[in-house]
Amino acid sequence: MQAVDSEQLGVQANQLLASPLAIIDLETTGGHAHLDRITEIAVIEVDAGVITNVWQTLVNPHTGIPPTIQSLTGITNAMVADAPSFATLAPDLLERLTNRIVIAHNVRFDYGFLKAAFAQAGLTYQARTLCTVRLSRALYPASPRHNLDTLIARHQLQCPARHRALGDAQVLWQFLQCALSEQGHRAVDAAVRAQLKQPSLPPALDRAQIDAIPDAPGVYFFYGDNDTPLYIGKSIHLRSRVLSHFSADLRSSREMQIARAVRRVDWIRTAGELGALLKEAQLVKTHLPIFNRQLRRTGTLTSIVLNPREDSTNTRVAPHAHRTVQLHIEDLAKPLDHSGAIRYGLFRSKRTALNTLRTLADTHQLCLQTLGLEQSNTNGACFRHQIQRCAGVCAGKESAIAHDTRLRLALSAMQFVRWPWPGPIGIREQDQTTEHEEMHVIDQWCYLGTATDDTELQTLLQRRQLSMRFDPDQYKLLVRYLTPARRARVIDLHEHAQQAQAA
Ligand SMILES: [Zn+2]
């Protein structure tokens, strides 16, 4: 359950790099944001931990650059004479920086200059900022100095053009990567979190409405304009989870999009975690919210089916042509048939299934020709046997039974778990605080619904044949939930179901 949880909670391995970033550096005519002017800007855009754009420009300050600064940066009056003014660049720059966390060395300086310059151009600019001086101080407390030259020396960073905007911004990007590898993601994230302020609730949401959400298990819904479903999630702590979408210190761009678009929050309380998991998987597929990517997937499901042994001992077929394995395409809409065939894996496409089989064949020296994945050779031995990729069942060097046994072993880890009950089952779940009890009704790994009393249970069982719909996500979570260690409270409903059918 652990892996699913962290994925669904949106916890990224590296929260800093998961957010859209703008690493910036400015060169100016002096140190005063309102009196001095910008002469050069560099922006390195980082998305999901990768540089997606590098942008730099000289800026005409429409004032003289003091000689000391000209000699420090190498940016002369002549160089900026033909450069665009900030007002010309402002709209493009604003778009570039929107929704990005601005990172700079002594960010107050750069951010102050940007805000003032945008204001002079008649534009409002606001951003969340992160200072690499403060980050360095937090992560390398033993180091007495944290200016850029110290960082370059301490971490052996490469600066192609010191005191030029892009050169210095590149150093900051290197420093971030260095800090992540030296101090680890956890330490960097903690330092970043400490620096960034908590954002407030999205304006459309009412605090009282959020406060009314119970901090209990359940499913929550975010709706956008016109009540469009945006996102469905589950948690065993509904309110905290909902709040974490908005108050996470560092949000992914998807989280930010959700926070911007959300207009209304709704929820369904469940007795426990399983009910929340099942409902979430089911509701995502019926509501198709825009931001649920994982659970939305539907379509044809493929699994590898191993035919019963009798087929391959059919004497009318030449021995090397025996197909012991056959790919079977299964329709998600229909419940799985359980006609003796052993099924392996649940693949999203036939190609994935075939690739998996080919990899297995190479690892275990199985014969693709015998498996029916390659055309058979008239003289028996397959090409892969000649290059020692096939142990030689095709050349009579191994018996078909031995090959079959090795195949079954190779596949065993992927074996589809057979439904172990004679009919439907109920899984009981009880709310820890209210003692309210629910029964989730499952048949052939298909979730039929949740009953809170006998009448509801009868209805679910009577409609069983109509509502059986195999869902790989539900199958996986049920297999995990029904491992003995979880001690699920399972009730066999086989007889119940027969009575309901007869009624
Ligand atoms: Zn072979």
Side-chain angles (χ1 to χ4, degrees):
M1 256 327 115
Q2 211 49 47
V4 175
D5 274 347
S6 61
E7 182 186 286
Q8 289 177 352
L9 290 173
V11 178
Q12 305 282 335
N14 178 347
Q15 296 200 20
L16 170 65
L17 293 184
S19 306
L21 309 174
I23 300 168
I24 66 163
D25 190 62
L26 307 178
E27 300 305 330
T28 63
T29 59
H32 197 290
H34 289 274
L35 303 175
D36 294 305
R37 295 287 176 265
I38 297 170
T39 57
E40 191 176 38
I41 308 170
V43 180
I44 298 176
E45 291 166 56
V46 178
D47 293 277
V50 179
I51 293 181
T52 48
N53 200 19
V54 174
W55 182 85
Q56 67 166 333
T57 182
L58 286 166
V59 183
N60 187 340
H62 298 291
T63 182
I65 306 171
T68 47
I69 293 182
Q70 287 194 40
S71 63
L72 175 74
T73 62
I75 301 170
T76 62
N77 286 322
M79 282 165 72
V80 295
D82 292 321
S85 62
F86 188 87
T88 318
L89 300 164
D92 177 36
L93 179 63
L94 189 65
E95 202 178 314
R96 216 171 266 290
L97 296 176
T98 298
N99 297 320
R100 292 183 178 275
I101 294 173
V102 165
I103 301 182
H105 210 59
N106 189 11
V107 74
R108 281 167 65 99
F109 174 90
D110 301 83
Y111 185 57
F113 261 93
L114 279 180
K115 264 182 95 88
F118 275 120
Q120 276 156 17
L123 296 166
T124 311
Y125 173 61
Q126 263 198 316
R128 304 173 76 200
T129 60
L130 190 72
C131 179
T132 43
V133 175
R134 291 176 63 191
L135 203 56
S136 170
R137 209 176 280 143
L139 293 169
Y140 299 91
S143 193
R145 299 176 69 83
H146 301 277
N147 61 44
L148 211 51
D149 288 319
T150 308
L151 261 59
I152 291 169
R154 191 176 69 202
H155 302 285
Q156 282 128 46
L157 307 176
Q158 303 298 316
C159 185
R162 183 75 181 95
H163 294 297
R164 288 298 297 268
L166 187 57
D168 289 0
Q170 281 166 334
V171 168
L172 298 184
W173 170 239
Q174 291 171 38
F175 167 67
L176 287 179
Q177 291 176 305
C178 213
L180 282 166
S181 75
E182 286 177 358
Q183 306 286 328
H185 290 177
R186 202 178 283 245
V188 173
D189 282 341
V192 167
R193 207 171 281 139
Q195 241 194 75
L196 293 171
K197 285 190 213 129
Q198 299 256 335
S200 51
L201 280 183
L205 296 185
D206 181 14
R207 173 68 65 176
Q209 194 195 5
I210 304 295
D211 288 345
I213 303 174
D215 218 23
V219 180
Y220 59 93
F221 306 78
F222 288 162
Y223 294 98
D225 283 331
N226 305 316
D227 249 15
T228 315
L230 295 178
Y231 185 77
I232 296 176
K234 65 99 186 92
S235 177
I236 52 166
H237 300 290
L238 274 179
R239 194 192 324 116
S240 312
R241 177 65 189 112
V242 166
L243 278 170
S244 76
H245 279 276
F246 314 126
S247 63
D249 295 310
L250 266 173
R251 293 174 296 178
S252 66
S253 61
R254 188 180 70 145
E255 295 274 303
M256 286 206 234
Q257 283 178 284
I258 293 175
R260 264 205 305 279
V262 67
R263 298 288 175 269
R264 188 169 74 84
V265 179
D266 201 2
W267 72 92
I268 298 174
R269 186 171 177 164
T270 58
E273 187 189 16
L274 180 63
L277 285 164
L278 289 168
K279 275 222 161 58
E280 182 200 32
Q282 186 188 50
L283 289 166
V284 165
K285 277 169 185 113
T286 49
H287 289 65
L288 299 175
I290 303 160
F291 291 101
N292 287 85
R293 286 180 206 143
Q294 282 291 316
L295 292 171
R296 273 188 65 156
R297 295 171 308 194
T298 51
T300 316
L301 201 64
T302 304
S303 68
I304 299 165
V305 179
L306 209 59
N307 284 335
R309 188 65 203 143
E310 302 87 82
D311 288 8
S312 53
T313 49
N314 188 335
T315 45
R316 282 172 297 176
V317 189
H320 65 260
H322 290 164
R323 282 184 174 203
T324 51
V325 159
Q326 190 182 342
L327 280 179
H328 199 80
I329 311 293
E330 286 176 343
D331 191 346
L332 266 183
K334 281 188 289 181
L336 297 177
D337 82 281
H338 285 256
S339 54
I342 305 169
R343 199 170 271 108
Y344 298 93
L346 287 168
F347 302 96
R348 293 288 170 188
S349 69
K350 187 173 180 175
R351 204 180 49 152
T352 327
L354 279 167
N355 287 343
T356 307
L357 267 179
R358 291 212 173 89
T359 311
L360 272 181
D362 282 349
T363 318
H364 297 271
Q365 294 200 296
L366 299 168
C367 183
L368 291 178
Q369 185 177 289
T370 307
L371 296 179
L373 297 177
E374 257 176 18
Q375 280 199 323
S376 33
N377 254 328
T378 38
N379 61 1
C382 73
F383 173 69
R384 287 173 65 261
H385 176 58
Q386 293 165 41
I387 57 167
Q388 273 117 49
R389 292 243 179 99
C390 159
V393 63
C394 48
K397 296 193 177 163
E398 183 187 22
S399 74
I401 293 170
H403 182 262
D404 230 44
T405 310
R406 294 196 305 111
L407 171 67
R408 278 168 206 274
L409 264 171
L411 286 169
S412 62
M414 294 194 302
Q415 187 168 344
F416 186 86
V417 182
R418 229 172 234 271
W419 180 247
W421 289 276
I425 59 161
I427 306 174
R428 278 189 203 278
E429 237 186 342
Q430 193 175 44
D431 192 312
Q432 300 294 319
T433 46
T434 63
E435 298 192 356
H436 168 75
E437 203 172 74
E438 289 180 346
M439 189 190 278
H440 312 298
V441 184
I442 322 282
D443 194 6
Q444 305 290 332
W445 303 115
C446 302
Y447 170 53
L448 303 179
T450 296
T452 52
D453 58 36
D454 258 0
T455 321
E456 286 177 5
L457 179 61
Q458 289 299 318
T459 315
L460 286 176
L461 290 173
Q462 276 161 4
R463 287 204 211 125
R464 181 161 64 108
Q465 301 300 342
L466 296 170
S467 50
M468 284 246 272
R469 188 173 280 266
F470 182 78
D471 177 314
D473 297 307
Q474 288 179 346
Y475 160 75
K476 283 175 198 159
L477 71 90
L478 283 166
V479 165
R480 276 194 299 255
Y481 197 86
L482 289 167
T483 52
R486 303 281 312 224
R487 293 170 172 222
R489 295 161 64 201
V490 175
I491 320 286
D492 188 340
L493 296 174
H494 182 50
E495 279 178 26
H496 230 86
Q498 286 181 324
Q499 284 160 17
Q501 218 93 47

